[in-house]
Amino acid sequence: MKYKWLNQGVNIERNNKLILFFNGWGMDECIVKHLEPEDYDVLMFYDYNTLETDFDFESLNIYPEKNIIAWSMGVMISAYLIPSLALPLGEGKCTAINGTLKHIDEEYGIHPKIYDLTIKGFNEKGRKRFIDSMFNESIDINCNREIDEQHSELIALKNYQADETFKYNKVLISDNDKIIPTKSQVAFWGIEPNLKSGHCPFFNFTKWSELL
């Protein structure tokens, strides 16, 4: 698992509030780099080929407030990692966006047959088709992830399973999600869609705080 600071104050200018962003499969910061951090430090995790990392999570205890924003496969990943880390969140919030804790599932996630077909047929054309399907409209994004790395990440994600006792206190569901079907998310969370968007809703927002 890789990580990258998208915003980080230093010394006396250090922010007291942190957002841990768990990105979705195959992505980097290209879909969120436009979001204004305001007075939040923002740390992104991505590339789940392995969940091993050299990041020192104890170093985050300097933040009185730690928030989680998880999107797509990141919803399952954060619910897998955070309980095992015993990371105290304080008064922080946890937001799940267009994902469930059963990421590959006939009823509550991506249908296993569709997921396996995606792995089998993944190539440049398949990647473009996937990215186009993330949005309701045509949007150009410049993701700097290698296709072989994305393919192996798809395979690796089959090996992870969320801790289903993990609680999110805010759930955002797009009304036209073609990746993790809207109806599957509604069935899992028991709420109706509350975003007018495709699978990737971040261009509907201008600030990270709007997602908390």
Side-chain angles (χ1 to χ4, degrees):
M1 183 172 66
K2 298 177 182 177
Y3 60 90
K4 182 174 184 178
W5 286 98
L6 303 184
N7 188 59
Q8 185 180 26
V10 294
N11 300 327
I12 61 174
E13 296 180 358
R14 178 177 60 81
N15 295 313
N16 290 320
K17 298 185 291 185
L18 174 69
I19 290 174
L20 298 172
F21 173 53
F22 288 86
N23 210 337
W25 163 81
M27 290 291 106
D28 58 17
E29 69 271 24
C30 66
I31 53 170
V32 293
K33 63 183 180 180
H34 66 285
L35 294 175
E36 173 58 46
E38 300 174 286
D39 58 346
Y40 290 88
D41 282 357
V42 183
L43 175 61
M44 176 184 70
F45 292 96
Y46 67 108
D47 187 351
Y48 308 122
N49 271 285
T50 174
L51 296 187
E52 294 182 2
T53 176
D54 62 356
F55 185 79
D56 178 14
F57 283 93
E58 288 189 3
S59 68
L60 301 180
N61 288 328
I62 61 173
Y63 293 94
E65 179 186 316
K66 294 178 280 293
N67 304 277
I68 294 172
I69 296 175
W71 170 62
S72 190
M73 289 295 182
V75 172
M76 176 273 296
I77 291 293
S78 62
Y80 179 101
L81 280 176
I82 297 301
S84 67
L85 295 169
L87 185 68
L89 300 179
E91 297 298 318
K93 301 174 182 177
C94 298
T95 301
I97 306 171
N98 288 336
T100 76
L101 303 186
K102 292 181 177 290
H103 59 305
I104 305 171
D105 187 88
E106 291 185 16
E107 186 175 1
Y108 298 123
I110 301 173
H111 196 289
K113 290 183 179 178
I114 293 176
Y115 196 89
D116 287 341
L117 285 172
T118 302
I119 291 174
K120 184 178 180 180
F122 192 70
N123 51 31
E124 287 287 358
K125 184 179 293 186
R127 176 165 66 172
K128 184 180 186 306
R129 188 185 311 117
F130 177 90
I131 291 175
D132 289 345
S133 297
M134 291 201 307
F135 306 100
N136 281 348
E137 64 281 339
S138 179
I139 294 179
D140 287 331
I141 62 172
N142 185 24
C143 178
N144 292 314
R145 297 283 305 278
E146 297 293 333
I147 189 167
D148 290 346
E149 182 183 78
Q150 291 173 317
H151 186 236
S152 59
E153 185 182 0
L154 269 179
I155 297 169
L157 283 163
K158 295 184 68 173
N159 299 319
Y160 311 136
Q161 184 174 351
D163 180 344
E164 293 185 34
T165 66
F166 186 79
K167 302 296 183 185
Y168 286 95
N169 51 32
K170 183 175 183 177
V171 176
L172 299 177
I173 301 175
S174 290
D175 63 355
N176 188 34
D177 196 324
K178 299 172 185 174
I179 306 299
I180 301 178
T182 298
K183 66 177 183 179
S184 298
Q185 297 182 53
V186 168
F188 183 83
W189 297 110
I191 65 172
E192 292 302 309
N194 46 21
L195 286 177
K196 290 188 178 298
S197 175
H199 183 62
C200 182
F202 296 109
F203 294 104
N204 292 12
F205 300 91
T206 60
K207 304 173 183 178
W208 280 101
S209 61
E210 293 172 334
L211 297 165
L212 293 172

